[in-house]
Amino acid sequence: MKKNDIFEVEIEDMSKDGEGIGHVDGLTVFVKDTAPGDRIRARLTKEKKNLAYGRLEEVLEPSPDRVTPVCEKARSCGGCTMQHISYSRQLEQKASYVENCLRRIGGVADAADLMEPILGMEEPYAFRNKMQFPVGTDREGRPELGFYAGRTHALIPLSDCPVGHPVNRELLQAMREYLSEAAVPVYDEETHTGLVRHVLTRVGFGTGQVMVCIVANGEKLPKQELLIGKLEQAVETYNRRSEDSPELTLSSVTLNVNKDKTNRILGFSSRVLAGAPVIEDTIGDIRFEIAPESFFQVNPVQTEKLYGRALEYAGLTGEETVWDMYCGIGTISLFLARKARKVYGVEIVPQAIENAKKNAKLNGAANTEFFVGKAEEVVPRLYKEDEETYRADVVVVDPPRKGCDRALLETLISMAPKRIVYVSCDPATLARDIAILREGGYHPKRVTPTDMFPHSSHVECIACIQKQEVKND
């Protein structure tokens, strides 16, 4: 086959990125927007030595797992790559991927026996409390907001997003009206001209507080009063439209300045245009202050399940000293503090640690202490200075996608906690790190996949890893 050739194939499996996998003439072919069991016609877009990529042209025989996407932009948008697949099959696929990673990468022969049922959602829509909308123009040059098409910076205009909080529909319309009526120039990535780059929204699902952050290539917005009025009216319109839902309040409007030629969304300075610099939200009965730049899990329903399972895996009795590595703004730390004697948190981002301290004070968690720095540097230093004070009975790690630093894993092994609770946003790096910990005498006992992002290929999981007892003959 050569580029642009049309071929037929049956989709047999799915990749970790949500692409359908089939085989044609000895080639493994990946085709987006397909489901296992589909028989399709596709166009060849790229061929390598033993791999090929195709674009779906027609579904000849649909899979029993194929469904009609809720969002008409699902195929073009880069977000919901699995919305055309039934939710039950999505969960099966994600759980299977976690198990395969543990077995193939982690060398865990009994992976299937360790797996607990995946934590899915009863209602897998309207779950995101945070959205980031790039700003651009439509074909007529009018201001528009939406998302980028997959692996591009081509804007897909949206009037709403079914996985976000429904108030975003009104907020998006308010921003379009403001940008148009105030004649605000939209940022152009190629020329680095224009003003407004992104609009970030947050909604406190537990408090009803709404934040809107405008990211701009400048220090000031024109006609700010018009902007505030439009956003207030948007929230009021939502409240009238959704009388059966909890009432929302516009609590924070901020301007974030990002003048850099970068793909990074947020800049390093913000100022308040209306309301407060932060909003508050809750996970369970724990309250948190959240700034525009704060890391806070975007799916509050699943976060409560995830952290509840972390607390269960930690097995705390009230006597333990716990370390929370990569603690962020203290979300997991404060859950643990309810059952632990002492919780230490460490995080490389100074602002996150300041937020963690404020959140601890907000919740009366006097048995917490937080440190700024790299976990692999801070923890060994403190442990060497005072082994008794900074010992660990239980360690919780919630690293970024790249997983834990090797030096940190070696430190954990030397500290010899009874249990390590590993919260992972990438099963592949979790499995890699488990392989290292197994060399140090630890073995996973229970693993729970958790669906934090329905309709995407992303899956998080949590593992309980215990130190194996050495038996003397």
Side-chain angles (χ1 to χ4, degrees):
M1 289 195 302
K2 60 182 183 297
K3 188 175 181 179
N4 289 323
D5 278 356
I6 299 294
F7 61 92
E8 293 185 10
V9 63
E10 183 170 343
I11 302 301
E12 306 160 12
D13 202 351
M14 290 188 69
S15 73
K16 68 181 181 66
D17 297 320
E19 297 170 309
I21 302 174
H23 294 87
V24 178
D25 297 337
L27 289 175
T28 300
V29 181
F30 296 83
V31 185
K32 182 178 172 291
D33 305 311
T34 60
D38 277 345
R39 182 157 190 83
I40 65 163
R41 182 176 288 119
R43 183 182 299 275
L44 189 72
T45 57
K46 184 190 297 185
E47 182 180 354
K48 297 184 178 180
K49 185 176 181 181
N50 297 310
L51 300 175
Y53 296 86
R55 183 176 66 244
L56 176 65
E57 295 287 322
E58 182 183 1
V59 177
L60 302 174
E61 296 178 19
S63 162
D65 297 312
R66 176 173 282 279
V67 297
T68 302
V70 170
C71 178
E72 62 180 14
K73 302 292 181 68
R75 185 173 177 184
S76 56
C77 175
C80 294
T81 56
M82 296 174 71
Q83 204 179 108
H84 61 287
I85 299 173
S86 68
Y87 188 55
S88 60
R89 182 55 194 262
Q90 291 181 36
L91 295 179
E92 290 175 12
Q93 190 71 32
K94 293 180 182 186
S96 175
Y97 175 61
V98 173
E99 182 186 329
N100 287 338
C101 285
L102 291 172
R103 188 175 61 254
R104 296 178 181 178
I105 302 172
V108 182
D110 59 344
D113 298 330
L114 308 181
M115 296 286 293
E116 301 199 66
I118 186 170
L119 299 177
M121 299 194 73
E122 292 182 12
E123 177 49 62
Y125 290 98
F127 59 83
R128 289 189 63 105
N129 58 22
K130 174 187 175 184
M131 305 292 279
Q132 296 177 143
F133 299 101
V135 180
T137 56
D138 61 17
R139 293 180 180 178
E140 284 72 40
R142 294 171 299 199
E144 191 53 88
L145 295 89
F147 290 137
Y148 290 133
R151 300 176 184 176
T152 76
H153 272 209
L155 187 70
I156 304 296
L158 293 173
S159 59
D160 194 8
C161 175
V163 300
H165 192 288
V167 74
N168 283 297
R169 186 172 85 178
E170 279 77 18
L171 295 176
L172 284 170
Q173 182 59 28
M175 284 303 307
R176 286 190 199 90
E177 292 176 2
Y178 161 71
L179 294 170
S180 180
E181 293 177 25
V184 180
V186 170
Y187 181 73
D188 185 305
E189 288 183 314
E190 294 184 3
T191 63
H192 194 56
T193 58
L195 185 59
V196 176
R197 303 173 67 136
H198 277 81
V199 175
L200 179 151
T201 67
R202 287 188 185 268
V203 182
F205 277 48
T207 62
Q209 297 180 15
V210 177
M211 167 186 285
V212 179
C213 176
I214 316 300
V215 184
N217 180 39
E219 307 282 346
K220 189 176 180 180
L221 295 175
K223 299 184 179 179
Q224 290 180 183
E225 299 80 6
L226 176 65
L227 169 65
I228 305 305
K230 292 282 186 185
L231 294 175
E232 289 176 340
Q233 185 179 14
V235 175
E236 291 173 3
T237 300
Y238 168 80
N239 286 333
R240 289 194 302 271
R241 174 170 69 88
S242 309
E243 292 182 356
D244 296 334
S245 301
E247 186 167 293
L248 302 182
T249 304
L250 183 66
S251 302
S252 174
V253 182
T254 59
L255 173 67
N256 177 269
V257 179
N258 183 359
K259 297 181 181 180
D260 296 339
K261 296 180 181 178
T262 176
N263 289 334
R264 187 187 70 249
I265 293 177
L266 290 173
F268 299 107
S269 64
S270 298
R271 66 182 181 87
V272 175
L273 302 182
V278 298
I279 62 171
E280 292 187 354
D281 201 4
T282 58
I283 301 176
D285 60 352
I286 301 176
R287 204 169 184 93
F288 298 92
E289 285 189 355
I290 309 165
E293 61 275 9
S294 295
F295 172 78
F296 190 73
Q297 292 278 10
V298 303
N299 187 331
V301 173
Q302 294 299 88
T303 298
E304 189 168 353
K305 294 179 185 178
L306 182 73
Y307 290 177
R309 188 59 56 92
L311 191 58
E312 177 188 337
Y313 281 3
L316 302 178
T317 65
E319 300 299 321
E320 292 84 2
T321 297
V322 182
W323 271 96
D324 180 10
M325 316 291 188
Y326 310 96
C327 69
I329 65 172
T331 46
I332 295 181
S333 300
L334 298 182
F335 263 71
L336 299 168
R338 298 289 180 91
K339 297 286 185 71
R341 182 187 66 82
K342 182 76 175 184
V343 176
Y344 296 109
V346 59
E347 167 64 53
I348 194 172
V349 181
Q351 183 59 49
I353 288 295
E354 288 303 310
N355 290 340
K357 292 176 179 178
K358 289 179 181 178
N359 289 327
K361 186 175 181 180
L362 187 65
N363 291 277
N367 61 334
T368 58
E369 190 172 349
F370 297 96
F371 302 94
V372 176
K374 294 182 178 180
E376 59 268 22
E377 296 175 359
V378 171
V379 178
R381 173 174 55 79
L382 292 173
Y383 187 61
K384 185 177 181 180
E385 290 175 1
D386 190 339
E387 183 174 325
E388 179 59 28
T389 298
Y390 297 112
R391 66 182 175 82
D393 297 305
V394 177
V395 170
V396 177
V397 292
D398 185 5
R401 185 170 292 275
K402 66 179 182 179
C404 292
D405 187 279
R406 175 101 192 200
L408 177 60
L409 294 173
E410 292 172 352
T411 297
L412 298 187
I413 292 169
S414 68
M415 294 175 77
K418 299 173 185 174
R419 284 177 297 281
I420 298 171
V421 179
Y422 195 129
V423 180
S424 170
C425 59
D426 187 339
T429 54
L430 164 66
R432 179 204 66 198
D433 291 349
I434 282 177
I436 296 171
L437 291 170
R438 289 176 67 231
E439 295 173 2
Y442 286 85
H443 190 82
K445 295 298 181 182
R446 299 166 67 189
V447 179
T448 302
T450 307
D451 190 25
M452 302 291 285
F453 301 93
H455 315 299
S456 77
S457 59
H458 184 84
V459 58
E460 302 213 359
C461 53
I462 182 165
C464 177
I465 306 168
Q466 291 189 359
K467 186 170 180 59
Q468 293 177 300
E469 295 183 4
V470 178
K471 296 181 180 180
N472 295 321
D473 295 332

